[in-house]
């Protein structure tokens, strides 16, 4: 059964409170060869693409729990004629043992699609690239050495940028697109928006960017300035071309003074 998105975000944010997401670079000792680029024309490098039997083609019937505790069942189906696209970058989930994940979709990557993204196919055509993210082991390794890890640039970011540019060149065809991320995925997308979209012609195709479980700085009292020069925060449900960002906390545990989320 589908795990409600807000609940999944809450659990993941709560479990990663000790992880310094916002500044970081996994320091690698010695000189290493530059990893080859991924070929995003290869279908194996995507978790989801429209019209395939892949990670998004699942039964995601949801049990909806109301505030009063009432349980109802919600059904859905993918819309092959959806008017817009969704481009999703998943959070830190890889259980690979190295500092960066490989390009094999393990249960962790498959399950996060079920939990967070697959149901978006009822409203948009789904695109979700695999990328060589910083792994859970990589984060632990960095923290154990007293270092910090960088999630908004490096190998994982380069992969997502390559996937995005391949999508624009071969799949988009001028359609509107929603960018969706969580945790590490949101930091990667924040950089992608800043480097590849903000102030560029493609910005007019941005329906919205949902950057959840991260911190998106904005000039005090303003809707722009900070992370982006031209892309504003969303103010209404009808607004497009804007950013939605939040970090969730349990109602019984207020954000601590040293919170890594929700504070710039």
């Amino acid at each position: 059964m589908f795990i409600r998105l807000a609940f999944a975000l809450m659990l993941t944010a709560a479990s990663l409170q000790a992880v310094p997401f916002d500044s970081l670079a996994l320091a690698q000792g010695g000189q290493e060869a530059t990893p080859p680029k991924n070929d995003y024309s290869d279908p194996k490098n995507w978790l989801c693409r429209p019209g395939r039997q892949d990670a998004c083609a699942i039964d995601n019937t949801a049990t909806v729990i109301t505030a009063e505790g009432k349980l109802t069942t919600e059904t859905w189906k993918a819309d092959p004629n959806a008017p817009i696209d969704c481009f999703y970058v998943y959070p830190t989930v890889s259980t690979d043992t190295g500092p960066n994940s490989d390009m094999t979709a393990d249960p962790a990557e498959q399950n996060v699609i079920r939990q967070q993204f697959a149901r978006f196919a009822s409203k948009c055509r789904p695109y979700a690239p695999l990328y060589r993210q910083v792994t859970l082991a990589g984060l632990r390794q960095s923290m154990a050495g007293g270092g910090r890890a960088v999630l908004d640039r490096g190998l994982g970011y380069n992969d997502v940028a390559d996937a995005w540019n391949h999508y624009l060149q071969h799949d988009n065809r001028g359609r509107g697109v929603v960018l969706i991320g969580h945790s590490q995925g949101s930091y990667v997308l924040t950089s992608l928006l800043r480097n590849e979209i903000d102030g560029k012609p493609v910005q007019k195709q941005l329906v919205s960017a949902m950057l959840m479980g991260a911190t998106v700085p904005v000039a005090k009292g303003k809707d722009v300035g900070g992370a982006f020069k031209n892309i504003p925060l969303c103010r209404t449900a009808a607004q497009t071309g804007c950013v939605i960002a939040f970090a969730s906390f349990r109602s019984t545990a207020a954000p601590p003074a040293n919170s890594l989320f929700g504070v710039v």
Side-chain angles (χ1 to χ4, degrees):
M1 302 295 282
F2 177 71
I3 298 177
R4 299 291 290 181
L5 177 60
F7 184 62
L9 290 171
M10 177 184 69
L11 292 179
T12 305
S15 68
L16 296 176
Q17 283 291 307
V19 178
F21 281 102
D22 53 334
S23 57
L24 104 188
L26 283 174
Q28 299 288 329
Q31 297 295 319
E32 296 186 6
T34 302
K37 284 181 171 288
N38 288 325
D39 178 8
Y40 284 99
S41 66
D42 186 343
K44 294 193 299 294
N45 289 333
W46 294 84
L47 285 163
C48 296
R49 287 181 61 84
R52 300 195 319 184
Q53 292 299 310
D54 57 21
C56 280
I58 57 176
D59 177 10
N60 238 341
T61 301
T63 297
V64 179
I65 307 173
T66 69
E68 296 76 26
K70 181 181 178 181
L71 303 183
T72 61
T73 299
E74 182 179 75
T75 59
W76 75 284
K77 61 180 180 180
D79 181 0
N81 300 311
I84 59 173
D85 297 342
C86 285
F87 186 92
Y88 170 71
V89 183
Y90 49 87
T92 310
V93 295
S94 176
T95 56
D96 292 345
T97 57
N100 289 91
S101 63
D102 58 27
M103 288 296 290
T104 300
D106 295 324
E109 288 88 355
Q110 300 280 348
N111 287 338
V112 78
I113 292 290
R114 176 185 294 273
Q115 292 170 353
Q116 293 191 349
F117 183 59
R119 289 185 71 214
F120 280 94
S122 65
K123 300 297 182 183
C124 54
R125 298 193 310 175
Y127 293 87
L130 278 164
Y131 71 108
R132 289 169 287 188
Q133 69 168 204
V134 177
T135 62
L136 294 166
L139 289 172
R140 289 192 293 268
Q141 175 186 331
S142 176
M143 295 171 64
R148 292 175 68 83
V150 175
L151 305 179
D152 60 351
R153 54 191 179 274
L155 183 60
Y157 170 80
N158 291 340
D159 285 350
V160 172
D162 288 343
W164 168 254
N165 285 311
H166 181 275
Y167 156 78
L168 282 183
Q169 294 167 16
H170 300 280
D171 300 298
N172 177 263
R173 298 184 177 90
R175 294 162 60 88
V177 57
V178 179
L179 273 63
I180 303 167
H182 177 211
S183 188
Q184 182 171 169
S186 290
Y187 286 105
V188 169
L189 283 179
T190 298
S191 284
L192 184 80
L193 282 156
R194 183 168 55 244
N195 298 335
E196 302 288 337
I197 299 172
D198 191 19
K200 294 178 169 59
V202 72
Q203 184 182 335
K204 68 181 184 296
Q205 294 170 231
L206 181 67
V207 177
S208 66
M210 302 173 64
L211 307 178
M212 299 167 285
T215 300
V216 180
V218 179
K220 188 174 182 178
K222 305 290 185 181
D223 289 349
V224 294
F228 312 118
K229 294 180 179 179
N230 304 285
I231 304 173
L233 296 179
C234 294
R235 289 284 185 175
T236 71
Q239 187 177 353
T240 58
C242 53
V243 171
I244 301 164
F246 65 88
S248 57
F249 297 84
R250 293 186 182 277
S251 61
T252 54
N258 63 345
S259 173
L260 297 172
F261 301 91
V263 178
V264 177

